[in-house]
Amino acid sequence: MHKKIIFIMLLVILSTGCTRIEKEDNNYNDIIIECLSKKIITNEVARGYKFYIPKGVKLIKNYDYNQKFLIDNDDIYLYVDIVSYYYKKELTYEEEINSYYYKKISYNGKKGYIKITEEDNKYLVKIVYNYSKIEAYTTKDKLNKVVTLGTIILNNIDYNDKIIEKTIDESVGTFREVTYELDKPEDASNKFREYLEEYVQKEKEEEKVIQLPDE
């Protein structure tokens, strides 16, 4: 019965565009697994990959390897790590210390985790999966929605191996760094980098840094 309720919620999101999710418990892992079990045709293109924008999510900016979305006036950031995808790097899990919620994710051979921390009566959501990361700063009543829609976005990233290989082969130097600040109280700050630090490069010969050409 519990899984049936989650499935119905996901159907509402995907088919009608209604993103109001009412769920009192905080077992976000159940929501994530339900989202990961369903692949959706992508509807937006980025450099080296395609991704899906669910109904209820507005794309604000589309950069080479990260996107900014809006969900109910909350900024949502997507970061895609094509370098780690190309080299198939292992994931370094963040620690569970001081977490409001933490759970490792393993599905169809892909690994990741969800971590939610409470800051100033709001919640920092971080979901890592499929060589990509979603981060958002939201209120407790919207946690279910952010987790659901964020997981749908991560799960439906479709990488283009040929474009990624060409980009890496033609690039030298370092990735151009893009820094954002979440919309949060003035006495709190959180900055994110374009390159995912969760994925590590072990082999020295593969630890080359990539320079993306400026547009």
Side-chain angles (χ1 to χ4, degrees):
M1 182 65 181
H2 181 64
K3 290 187 176 180
K4 183 177 180 181
I5 293 175
I6 297 176
F7 177 73
I8 293 174
M9 292 189 306
L10 292 175
L11 281 181
V12 170
I13 291 175
L14 299 177
S15 62
T16 69
C18 176
T19 56
R20 183 179 180 184
I21 303 172
E22 296 182 274
K23 186 171 182 291
E24 293 182 357
D25 67 28
N26 64 346
N27 192 356
Y28 303 106
N29 190 59
D30 284 351
I31 296 177
I32 289 174
I33 295 303
E34 287 294 333
C35 292
L36 297 182
S37 68
K38 299 167 181 61
K39 291 292 290 185
I40 305 169
I41 297 175
T42 56
N43 57 12
E44 190 66 42
V45 177
R47 187 174 183 180
Y49 59 96
K50 298 178 182 179
F51 59 99
Y52 175 74
I53 305 176
K55 292 181 179 179
V57 179
K58 183 178 181 180
L59 178 63
I60 303 299
K61 294 181 180 179
N62 189 358
Y63 298 102
D64 285 344
Y65 303 103
N66 62 51
Q67 285 72 37
K68 177 180 178 180
F69 304 100
L70 195 66
I71 301 177
D72 288 350
N73 297 317
D74 288 336
D75 293 331
I76 311 296
Y77 296 101
L78 168 66
Y79 303 87
V80 178
D81 185 358
I82 66 165
V83 176
S84 290
Y85 169 81
Y86 180 77
Y87 290 111
K88 298 298 184 288
K89 296 302 174 182
E90 295 182 9
L91 175 66
T92 300
Y93 292 96
E94 197 167 285
E95 293 184 357
E96 187 177 352
I97 299 174
N98 298 324
S99 297
Y100 169 79
Y101 183 88
Y102 181 91
K103 186 76 174 180
K104 291 183 179 180
I105 303 169
S106 181
Y107 191 84
N108 279 347
K110 298 178 182 179
K111 297 183 182 299
Y113 65 89
I114 173 175
K115 183 176 183 180
I116 303 175
T117 54
E118 186 176 1
E119 299 180 8
D120 304 306
N121 296 318
K122 295 190 74 175
Y123 295 82
L124 177 61
V125 179
K126 182 176 187 177
I127 310 173
V128 177
Y129 184 77
N130 193 21
Y131 296 98
S132 51
K133 171 174 63 176
I134 283 282
E135 288 191 314
Y137 196 72
T138 189
T139 53
K140 188 174 184 179
D141 61 306
K142 290 185 281 188
L143 279 175
N144 292 324
K145 180 185 294 187
V146 169
V147 170
T148 301
L149 296 176
T151 304
I152 290 172
I153 293 172
L154 293 178
N155 186 47
N156 292 285
I157 294 175
D158 185 12
Y159 292 97
N160 188 315
D161 292 345
K162 291 183 178 179
I163 293 179
I164 292 175
E165 181 178 11
K166 182 179 179 181
T167 299
I168 291 179
D169 287 344
E170 293 178 350
S171 301
V172 293
T174 58
F175 262 118
R176 175 163 42 89
E177 184 178 302
V178 179
T179 301
Y180 296 101
E181 288 191 15
L182 289 182
D183 183 14
K184 58 201 304 186
E186 292 182 0
D187 59 348
S189 63
N190 192 69
K191 296 184 178 181
F192 305 122
R193 297 187 61 185
E194 182 180 43
Y195 186 82
L196 285 183
E197 296 178 354
E198 284 79 7
Y199 291 95
V200 295
Q201 299 188 18
K202 291 184 177 179
E203 299 80 1
K204 292 292 183 181
E205 64 273 15
E206 292 181 356
E207 286 186 346
K208 56 184 179 180
V209 192
I210 309 302
Q211 172 69 44
L212 300 180
D214 293 330
E215 295 182 354

